[in-house]
Amino acid sequence: MAERDLIIIGGGPAGLTAGLYGSRAGLQTLLVEKLSPGGQVLITDQVENYPGFPEGLSGFELVEKMTAHARKFGMEEMNGEVIGMEYHHPEAVTVKLADGNTLAAKAVIIATGAGHRRLEIPGEEEFTGRGVSYCATCDGPFFRDQEVAVIGGGDSAVQEAIFLTKFASRVYLIHRRDRLRAVKALQERAFENPKIEFIYDSVVKRFDGDESGLRSVTIENLRNGKVSDLAVGGGFIFVGMVPNTGFLKGVVDLDGQGFVITDEWMKTSANRIFAAGDCRSKPLLQIVTAASDGATAAFAAEHLIYGV
Amino acid sequence: MADDKVIHVTDADFETTVLGADLPVLVDFWASWCGPCRAIAPVVEELASEYDGKVIVAKMNVDESPATPGKYGIRAIPTLILFKDGQVVDQITGAVGKALIEAALTKVTS
């Protein structure tokens, strides 16, 4: 079993930045990614808050630049799905892949990110891909001149609601509270958009439709308990994230929501295993904080491996 | 390149190439503006090589060929549909890992 210095699991901004810092520090670095590099950034239409790009840039562009940057310093890549890992005394971690292979390194950085949270309500699974969606940039164009609902009130929900007005004739933004949680700049843009209608204090109880797809959502107003149906062809759900850490139970300590607990060196509870990016328990899940985590984790791994 | 094994189908040749095929056909419905479609592309190419001779792997651009995705009610991409003898055997929505797609392919090849 060939042992490397550093294995990074996941090729989003955290993993790519760890790859850049690790390989630039002279560590023999391998990035293992299930799909192709990018992660959630790939579904972001326009990135407006990554420093150094005042005009904004597309998620595609940013991923391409980050990948090229990490490759420049010699980072290796492979396609694979990690299903487990284990620390071996004194200084190795083995990583198990779904295809049965095993890899080994002196240190591992977990950068598996997070995925969309589901509402877990009737009809959600049935109509996923037939009206229910978690990706406006992927599926928005299928809803040209239709009315759609967006569920959520954070940055993602508001940004995607604005994006969807490029296609949909009307966008209902359904939020459980009496005001949005998104940053002011996004809120203002949404308020100015004549195609967006706000439905506050309300939750979606179920999705209904027929063989042609989604037809309506059932909404409950939490203030007065009134239940009503809203006719929409699309339901876009943006209600937070769940970490991709299912394979880490019993390997490293996780918080109540499944995010990996680390110290400020990105060290997990397990020897020689670090975590970075959206899979880590922390207050702000953003591209810039993912990149920051990746840099710190690679730096910590470098210190560990070189013993300085 | 592994990509050589993937064929490209359109509304015009879907019926003969996919529905009329002797082998099972996995169709990847995609578009250039779809990030997860890009993410899943290398996995689809790998499968095309690995299942060469057992499963035909095809891609259909939903912008260039809107009729077929419409007919199958596709309103999300990437969507992978596995056809056998002209019938839908399995449908997978979203960018999923290789193992999940292979599980579907195994059902029609073993």
Side-chain angles (χ1 to χ4, degrees), chain A residues 29-213:
Chain A
T29 302
L30 173 71
L31 181 93
V32 183
E33 163 62 47
K34 181 163 85 157
L35 302 166
S36 67
Q40 293 169 68
V41 180
L42 278 180
I43 67 168
T44 311
D45 174 45
Q46 192 71 6
V47 178
E48 304 193 322
N49 55 3
Y50 196 74
F53 299 92
E55 311 303 326
L57 76 173
S58 73
F60 277 165
E61 267 180 280
L62 185 57
V63 164
E64 266 166 23
K65 284 180 198 289
M66 284 186 166
T67 309
H69 202 165
R71 284 175 183 159
K72 182 181 158 186
F73 294 107
M75 180 188 79
E76 288 177 79
E77 291 156 80
M78 73 173 281
N79 258 96
E81 190 171 348
V82 173
I83 54 170
M85 66 185 71
E86 197 181 350
Y87 165 71
H88 300 275
H89 185 77
E91 55 175 29
V93 180
T94 51
V95 171
K96 251 173 78 183
L97 300 175
D99 65 8
N101 285 320
T102 303
L103 304 167
K106 295 190 176 105
V108 168
I109 297 173
I110 301 161
T112 47
H116 47 254
R117 182 180 295 283
R118 303 164 60 93
L119 286 171
E120 310 288 352
I121 58 171
E124 183 176 13
E125 195 174 339
E126 186 186 348
F127 292 107
T128 292
R130 300 196 300 130
V132 172
S133 171
Y134 305 86
C135 178
T137 56
C138 313
D139 306 335
F142 291 103
F143 298 88
R144 213 171 280 280
D145 303 322
Q146 294 186 41
E147 303 202 339
V148 302
V150 169
I151 299 137
D155 285 358
S156 298
V158 175
Q159 182 161 18
E160 304 303 347
I162 296 166
F163 175 78
L164 285 166
T165 61
K166 289 208 256 184
F167 311 100
S169 56
R170 181 177 295 272
V171 176
Y172 298 97
L173 186 62
I174 304 168
H175 185 39
R176 56 183 307 133
R177 302 187 200 291
D178 61 356
R179 73 192 69 143
L180 301 177
R181 212 157 25 81
V183 292
K184 253 216 136 80
L186 284 173
Q187 288 198 25
E188 279 163 10
R189 229 178 302 152
F191 293 147
E192 280 165 15
N193 194 310
K195 282 187 173 178
I196 302 178
E197 191 169 310
F198 299 86
I199 302 177
Y200 292 114
D201 299 308
S202 298
V203 293
V204 173
K205 305 294 278 185
R206 59 181 297 130
F207 294 101
D208 276 301
D210 51 32
E211 60 285 349
S212 73

Side-chain angles (χ1 to χ4, degrees), chain A residues 34-37 42-43 60 64 79 81 98 128-133 135 137-143 146 212-214 232-234, chain B residues 32-43 46 62-63 69 72-79 91 93 95-100:
Chain A
K34 181 163 85 157
L35 302 166
S36 67
L42 278 180
I43 67 168
F60 277 165
E64 266 166 23
N79 258 96
E81 190 171 348
T128 292
R130 300 196 300 130
V132 172
S133 171
C135 178
T137 56
C138 313
D139 306 335
F142 291 103
F143 298 88
Q146 294 186 41
S212 73
L214 183 71
V232 288
Chain B
S32 58
W33 35 261
C34 158
C37 298
R38 197 178 278 211
I40 207 174
V43 172
E46 257 179 61
V62 300
D63 280 334
Y72 289 94
I74 292 172
R75 289 155 100 188
I77 49 173
T79 285
Q91 180 161 348
T93 301
V96 299
K98 193 174 168 185
L100 206 67

